[in-house]
Amino acid sequence: MPHYSPDAVADPDTAACPVVGLAIDTRAHASDWHSHRRAQLLYQAEGGVTLYLPDRVGQLAPLQAAWLPAGCIHRTAMHGSFSYRSLYFDVEAYPGLPAEPVILDVNPLFRELVLRVTEWPADAALEPGQARIVATLLDELAAAPAAPLHLPMPRDRRLAPIARELLDNPACPLSIEDWAGRVGASARTLARLFLAETGLPFGRWRAQCRLLAARARLAEGASVTAVAHAMGYASDSAFIAMYRRTYGESPGRKKAPARS
């Protein structure tokens, strides 16, 4: 299996094989904004990843994968110790690939197919048996439960600094009225713009932002109590209730890492 450090990854766009797999195991790391000529399937075997697109942010938990179409501009922030397996598909060889970025749930078969492909060399054509494996993998990709990256980012010049501050400091207690005085717009205008640009009222957007950051901290191994306080919740129970309503499980629930 070709293992790499994040700073010495071979360029998958120049590989001879129409599908290339990379295996990376390391600690916290952040990439710059970039894109690929190939479509990317980023499977998270262990740890957490915050995935940034120009217009939205998503949190990738263990046993999930992100699908990024060819040319999709993005950057990532990896939290704590992490392992990911990334596949890159030549869009000319596979013209029917999904056109939108999504987060996918990865079942055991899907996971094993991803791991198998990461064992192949990048400088050789596919053998017939390998081509059949890729065809099955693409079937699993098409059938996997999918969800959009769930935190839309505002672009208005008055909203952008608010969004950046709340991503960097989720516990920030400033109300929309407080922000109005700082960015030079009325609270009513800010509320209207938040809803128009993100589809969410300010309070709900902030709650989703906090939960996104909470998943990253939990992936790093922080305790539920520490995360609740870091996110600005008054009590563990309030945080746990919001997390369970959003994700359908307790924040203390641990998923077993995949074989990698």
Side-chain angles (χ1 to χ4, degrees):
M1 182 184 296
H3 282 255
Y4 299 88
S5 75
D7 298 315
V9 174
D11 184 358
D13 288 332
T14 62
C17 190
V19 55
V20 176
L22 302 178
I24 296 180
D25 305 310
T26 187
R27 290 196 58 79
H29 173 78
S31 73
D32 294 327
W33 289 100
H34 66 284
S35 64
H36 300 282
R37 292 197 302 273
R38 294 189 174 201
Q40 181 181 7
L41 179 70
L42 174 61
Y43 165 61
Q44 192 67 14
E46 183 178 0
V49 175
T50 304
L51 179 63
Y52 298 87
L53 273 61
D55 64 342
R56 59 194 57 242
V57 180
Q59 179 65 34
L60 194 60
L63 308 190
Q64 289 186 317
W67 176 259
L68 301 171
C72 179
I73 298 171
H74 64 282
R75 68 180 180 91
T76 56
M78 314 289 185
H79 311 290
S81 295
F82 68 90
S83 300
Y84 73 83
R85 306 294 178 255
S86 200
L87 305 187
Y88 300 86
F89 297 85
D90 185 335
V91 294
E92 293 184 1
Y94 305 104
L97 297 171
E100 297 295 330
V102 292
I103 291 179
L104 304 167
D105 289 334
V106 177
N107 66 30
L109 174 58
F110 195 177
R111 178 179 70 240
E112 292 303 318
L113 292 167
V114 170
L115 298 179
R116 177 70 66 87
V117 174
T118 59
E119 298 173 355
W120 299 346
D123 57 357
L126 292 179
E127 298 175 356
Q130 292 174 324
R132 290 191 293 271
I133 288 173
V134 175
T136 303
L137 189 154
L138 293 176
D139 286 342
E140 290 298 310
L141 171 66
L149 279 70
H150 72 276
L151 186 65
M153 294 295 289
R155 296 193 175 191
D156 182 270
R157 60 177 178 80
R158 293 157 291 186
L159 301 187
I162 302 174
R164 286 195 299 269
E165 174 63 23
L166 292 174
L167 280 171
D168 293 339
N169 178 23
C172 175
L174 296 179
S175 67
I176 200 164
E177 289 77 17
D178 296 328
W179 280 113
R182 296 189 174 208
V183 301
S186 70
R188 186 173 182 176
T189 295
L190 293 181
R192 177 179 55 81
L193 287 172
F194 248 102
L195 185 59
E197 294 208 357
T198 70
L200 299 171
F202 172 75
R204 187 173 172 191
W205 190 95
R206 180 169 58 184
Q208 287 201 12
C209 179
R210 287 176 170 174
L211 289 171
L212 191 79
R215 295 196 89 185
R217 302 282 182 92
L218 291 167
E220 292 173 347
S223 70
V224 170
T225 296
V227 171
H229 292 169
M231 297 304 111
Y233 284 88
S235 66
D236 291 10
S237 59
F239 168 64
I240 292 169
M242 177 64 75
Y243 192 99
R244 186 178 287 122
R245 281 198 301 272
T246 303
Y247 296 117
E249 63 182 23
S250 166
R253 179 172 175 243
K254 298 292 185 182
K255 293 183 178 180
R259 180 183 66 81
S260 55

Short mmCIF file of all heavy atoms in Angstrom, two decimals, residues 95-129:
data_model
loop_
_atom_site.label_atom_id
_atom_site.label_comp_id
_atom_site.label_asym_id
_atom_site.label_seq_id
_atom_site.Cartn_x
_atom_site.Cartn_y
_atom_site.Cartn_z
N PRO A 95 -16.90 8.52 -16.92
CA PRO A 95 -17.62 9.77 -17.21
C PRO A 95 -18.91 9.97 -16.42
O PRO A 95 -19.45 11.07 -16.38
CB PRO A 95 -17.92 9.65 -18.71
CG PRO A 95 -17.95 8.18 -18.98
CD PRO A 95 -16.93 7.58 -18.05
N GLY A 96 -19.44 8.95 -15.77
CA GLY A 96 -20.73 9.09 -15.09
C GLY A 96 -20.63 9.36 -13.61
O GLY A 96 -21.57 9.07 -12.85
N LEU A 97 -19.53 9.92 -13.15
CA LEU A 97 -19.33 10.14 -11.72
C LEU A 97 -20.23 11.25 -11.19
O LEU A 97 -20.64 12.14 -11.94
CB LEU A 97 -17.86 10.50 -11.47
CG LEU A 97 -16.84 9.40 -11.82
CD1 LEU A 97 -15.43 9.96 -11.73
CD2 LEU A 97 -17.01 8.20 -10.91
N PRO A 98 -20.56 11.22 -9.88
CA PRO A 98 -21.42 12.26 -9.31
C PRO A 98 -20.84 13.66 -9.53
O PRO A 98 -19.61 13.85 -9.49
CB PRO A 98 -21.46 11.91 -7.82
CG PRO A 98 -21.17 10.44 -7.78
CD PRO A 98 -20.21 10.17 -8.89
N ALA A 99 -21.73 14.63 -9.73
CA ALA A 99 -21.31 15.97 -10.09
C ALA A 99 -21.30 16.94 -8.90
O ALA A 99 -20.81 18.06 -9.04
CB ALA A 99 -22.22 16.53 -11.17
N GLU A 100 -21.81 16.52 -7.73
CA GLU A 100 -21.90 17.42 -6.58
C GLU A 100 -21.10 16.85 -5.40
O GLU A 100 -21.07 15.64 -5.18
CB GLU A 100 -23.36 17.60 -6.16
CG GLU A 100 -24.23 18.27 -7.22
CD GLU A 100 -23.82 19.68 -7.51
OE1 GLU A 100 -23.30 20.35 -6.58
OE2 GLU A 100 -24.00 20.14 -8.64
N PRO A 101 -20.48 17.73 -4.59
CA PRO A 101 -19.79 17.26 -3.39
C PRO A 101 -20.79 16.83 -2.32
O PRO A 101 -21.77 17.54 -2.07
CB PRO A 101 -18.99 18.48 -2.95
CG PRO A 101 -19.71 19.65 -3.52
CD PRO A 101 -20.34 19.18 -4.79
N VAL A 102 -20.54 15.67 -1.71
CA VAL A 102 -21.42 15.15 -0.67
C VAL A 102 -20.58 14.39 0.35
O VAL A 102 -19.42 14.05 0.11
CB VAL A 102 -22.51 14.20 -1.23
CG1 VAL A 102 -23.50 14.94 -2.09
CG2 VAL A 102 -21.88 13.04 -2.00
N ILE A 103 -21.19 14.13 1.50
CA ILE A 103 -20.62 13.24 2.51
C ILE A 103 -21.38 11.92 2.47
O ILE A 103 -22.61 11.91 2.45
CB ILE A 103 -20.67 13.88 3.90
CG1 ILE A 103 -19.69 15.07 3.95
CG2 ILE A 103 -20.32 12.87 4.98
CD1 ILE A 103 -19.68 15.80 5.28
N LEU A 104 -20.65 10.82 2.46
CA LEU A 104 -21.22 9.49 2.30
C LEU A 104 -20.99 8.64 3.54
O LEU A 104 -19.92 8.72 4.16
CB LEU A 104 -20.58 8.78 1.10
CG LEU A 104 -20.63 9.51 -0.25
CD1 LEU A 104 -19.69 8.83 -1.23
CD2 LEU A 104 -22.05 9.51 -0.78
N ASP A 105 -21.98 7.82 3.89
CA ASP A 105 -21.76 6.78 4.89
C ASP A 105 -21.15 5.56 4.20
O ASP A 105 -21.57 5.17 3.10
CB ASP A 105 -23.09 6.38 5.54
CG ASP A 105 -23.63 7.47 6.45
OD1 ASP A 105 -22.83 8.27 6.96
OD2 ASP A 105 -24.86 7.53 6.66
N VAL A 106 -20.15 4.97 4.83
CA VAL A 106 -19.37 3.89 4.22
C VAL A 106 -19.70 2.57 4.92
O VAL A 106 -19.42 2.41 6.11
CB VAL A 106 -17.87 4.19 4.30
CG1 VAL A 106 -17.05 3.04 3.74
CG2 VAL A 106 -17.55 5.48 3.55
N ASN A 107 -20.30 1.64 4.19
CA ASN A 107 -20.60 0.33 4.77
C ASN A 107 -19.37 -0.58 4.67
O ASN A 107 -18.37 -0.22 4.03
CB ASN A 107 -21.83 -0.29 4.09
CG ASN A 107 -21.60 -0.62 2.62
OD1 ASN A 107 -20.50 -0.93 2.19
ND2 ASN A 107 -22.68 -0.55 1.83
N PRO A 108 -19.39 -1.76 5.31
CA PRO A 108 -18.19 -2.61 5.31
C PRO A 108 -17.69 -3.00 3.93
O PRO A 108 -16.47 -3.02 3.69
CB PRO A 108 -18.64 -3.83 6.12
CG PRO A 108 -19.69 -3.30 7.04
CD PRO A 108 -20.42 -2.27 6.24
N LEU A 109 -18.59 -3.32 2.99
CA LEU A 109 -18.14 -3.68 1.65
C LEU A 109 -17.48 -2.50 0.96
O LEU A 109 -16.40 -2.63 0.36
CB LEU A 109 -19.32 -4.18 0.82
CG LEU A 109 -19.01 -4.47 -0.67
CD1 LEU A 109 -17.91 -5.50 -0.81
CD2 LEU A 109 -20.29 -4.90 -1.40
N PHE A 110 -18.10 -1.34 1.03
CA PHE A 110 -17.55 -0.13 0.44
C PHE A 110 -16.15 0.13 1.01
O PHE A 110 -15.20 0.42 0.27
CB PHE A 110 -18.50 1.02 0.74
CG PHE A 110 -18.28 2.27 -0.07
CD1 PHE A 110 -19.14 3.36 0.09
CD2 PHE A 110 -17.26 2.39 -0.99
CE1 PHE A 110 -18.98 4.52 -0.65
CE2 PHE A 110 -17.07 3.54 -1.73
CZ PHE A 110 -17.94 4.61 -1.55
N ARG A 111 -16.02 0.01 2.33
CA ARG A 111 -14.74 0.24 2.98
C ARG A 111 -13.66 -0.71 2.47
O ARG A 111 -12.54 -0.30 2.14
CB ARG A 111 -14.90 0.07 4.50
CG ARG A 111 -13.59 0.25 5.27
CD ARG A 111 -13.83 0.08 6.76
NE ARG A 111 -14.13 -1.29 7.12
CZ ARG A 111 -15.26 -1.69 7.70
NH1 ARG A 111 -16.22 -0.83 7.96
NH2 ARG A 111 -15.44 -2.95 8.02
N GLU A 112 -14.00 -1.99 2.38
CA GLU A 112 -13.00 -2.97 1.93
C GLU A 112 -12.58 -2.74 0.48
O GLU A 112 -11.42 -2.94 0.11
CB GLU A 112 -13.55 -4.39 2.11
CG GLU A 112 -13.72 -4.82 3.55
CD GLU A 112 -12.42 -4.73 4.34
OE1 GLU A 112 -11.36 -5.13 3.78
OE2 GLU A 112 -12.44 -4.25 5.48
N LEU A 113 -13.52 -2.29 -0.35
CA LEU A 113 -13.17 -1.99 -1.73
C LEU A 113 -12.21 -0.81 -1.81
O LEU A 113 -11.25 -0.81 -2.59
CB LEU A 113 -14.44 -1.70 -2.53
CG LEU A 113 -15.38 -2.89 -2.75
CD1 LEU A 113 -16.73 -2.42 -3.27
CD2 LEU A 113 -14.77 -3.90 -3.72
N VAL A 114 -12.47 0.23 -1.00
CA VAL A 114 -11.56 1.38 -0.96
C VAL A 114 -10.16 0.94 -0.53
O VAL A 114 -9.15 1.30 -1.15
CB VAL A 114 -12.10 2.47 -0.02
CG1 VAL A 114 -11.06 3.55 0.22
CG2 VAL A 114 -13.37 3.09 -0.59
N LEU A 115 -10.10 0.14 0.53
CA LEU A 115 -8.80 -0.31 1.02
C LEU A 115 -8.07 -1.16 -0.01
O LEU A 115 -6.84 -1.10 -0.14
CB LEU A 115 -8.98 -1.09 2.33
CG LEU A 115 -9.58 -0.30 3.50
CD1 LEU A 115 -9.72 -1.19 4.73
CD2 LEU A 115 -8.75 0.93 3.82
N ARG A 116 -8.81 -1.96 -0.75
CA ARG A 116 -8.19 -2.79 -1.77
C ARG A 116 -7.54 -1.93 -2.86
O ARG A 116 -6.41 -2.19 -3.28
CB ARG A 116 -9.23 -3.72 -2.40
CG ARG A 116 -8.72 -4.58 -3.53
CD ARG A 116 -7.78 -5.66 -3.05
NE ARG A 116 -8.48 -6.62 -2.22
CZ ARG A 116 -9.14 -7.68 -2.69
NH1 ARG A 116 -9.17 -7.91 -3.99
NH2 ARG A 116 -9.74 -8.52 -1.86
N VAL A 117 -8.26 -0.90 -3.28
CA VAL A 117 -7.73 -0.07 -4.37
C VAL A 117 -6.48 0.68 -3.94
O VAL A 117 -5.57 0.92 -4.74
CB VAL A 117 -8.81 0.91 -4.87
CG1 VAL A 117 -8.25 1.88 -5.91
CG2 VAL A 117 -9.98 0.13 -5.49
N THR A 118 -6.37 1.05 -2.66
CA THR A 118 -5.18 1.77 -2.21
C THR A 118 -3.93 0.90 -2.25
O THR A 118 -2.82 1.42 -2.13
CB THR A 118 -5.36 2.31 -0.77
OG1 THR A 118 -5.62 1.24 0.13
CG2 THR A 118 -6.48 3.33 -0.71
N GLU A 119 -4.08 -0.40 -2.45
CA GLU A 119 -2.93 -1.29 -2.52
C GLU A 119 -2.33 -1.37 -3.93
O GLU A 119 -1.26 -1.92 -4.12
CB GLU A 119 -3.34 -2.70 -2.08
CG GLU A 119 -3.82 -2.78 -0.64
CD GLU A 119 -4.38 -4.15 -0.28
OE1 GLU A 119 -4.48 -5.00 -1.19
OE2 GLU A 119 -4.71 -4.35 0.90
N TRP A 120 -3.02 -0.79 -4.91
CA TRP A 120 -2.58 -0.94 -6.29
C TRP A 120 -1.54 0.11 -6.67
O TRP A 120 -1.58 1.24 -6.17
CB TRP A 120 -3.77 -0.81 -7.24
CG TRP A 120 -4.84 -1.84 -7.04
CD1 TRP A 120 -4.75 -3.00 -6.32
CD2 TRP A 120 -6.17 -1.79 -7.55
NE1 TRP A 120 -5.94 -3.67 -6.36
CE2 TRP A 120 -6.83 -2.96 -7.11
CE3 TRP A 120 -6.87 -0.87 -8.34
CZ2 TRP A 120 -8.15 -3.24 -7.43
CZ3 TRP A 120 -8.18 -1.14 -8.67
CH2 TRP A 120 -8.81 -2.31 -8.21
N PRO A 121 -0.62 -0.24 -7.56
CA PRO A 121 0.35 0.76 -8.05
C PRO A 121 -0.32 1.81 -8.92
O PRO A 121 -1.34 1.54 -9.57
CB PRO A 121 1.34 -0.08 -8.86
CG PRO A 121 0.57 -1.28 -9.29
CD PRO A 121 -0.39 -1.57 -8.17
N ALA A 122 0.24 3.00 -8.91
CA ALA A 122 -0.35 4.11 -9.67
C ALA A 122 0.16 4.18 -11.10
O ALA A 122 -0.35 4.97 -11.89
CB ALA A 122 -0.05 5.43 -8.97
N ASP A 123 1.16 3.37 -11.43
CA ASP A 123 1.83 3.50 -12.73
C ASP A 123 1.52 2.36 -13.68
O ASP A 123 2.30 2.06 -14.59
CB ASP A 123 3.34 3.62 -12.53
CG ASP A 123 3.92 2.42 -11.76
OD1 ASP A 123 3.13 1.56 -11.34
OD2 ASP A 123 5.15 2.38 -11.58
N ALA A 124 0.40 1.67 -13.48
CA ALA A 124 0.06 0.54 -14.34
C ALA A 124 -1.42 0.60 -14.71
O ALA A 124 -2.25 1.14 -13.97
CB ALA A 124 0.38 -0.78 -13.64
N ALA A 125 -1.74 0.02 -15.86
CA ALA A 125 -3.15 -0.08 -16.27
C ALA A 125 -3.87 -1.09 -15.39
O ALA A 125 -3.25 -1.96 -14.76
CB ALA A 125 -3.23 -0.49 -17.74
N LEU A 126 -5.20 -1.00 -15.36
CA LEU A 126 -5.97 -1.94 -14.56
C LEU A 126 -6.03 -3.30 -15.25
O LEU A 126 -6.22 -3.39 -16.46
CB LEU A 126 -7.40 -1.43 -14.37
CG LEU A 126 -7.59 -0.18 -13.50
CD1 LEU A 126 -9.07 0.17 -13.46
CD2 LEU A 126 -7.03 -0.39 -12.11
N GLU A 127 -5.88 -4.35 -14.45
CA GLU A 127 -6.13 -5.70 -14.94
C GLU A 127 -7.63 -5.97 -14.93
O GLU A 127 -8.39 -5.26 -14.27
CB GLU A 127 -5.40 -6.70 -14.06
CG GLU A 127 -3.88 -6.53 -14.06
CD GLU A 127 -3.19 -7.46 -13.08
OE1 GLU A 127 -3.91 -8.20 -12.35
OE2 GLU A 127 -1.95 -7.44 -13.02
N PRO A 128 -8.10 -6.98 -15.66
CA PRO A 128 -9.55 -7.24 -15.71
C PRO A 128 -10.19 -7.41 -14.34
O PRO A 128 -11.29 -6.88 -14.09
CB PRO A 128 -9.65 -8.51 -16.55
CG PRO A 128 -8.45 -8.45 -17.45
CD PRO A 128 -7.36 -7.84 -16.61
N GLY A 129 -9.52 -8.15 -13.43
CA GLY A 129 -10.09 -8.32 -12.09
C GLY A 129 -10.16 -7.01 -11.33
O GLY A 129 -11.14 -6.76 -10.60
#
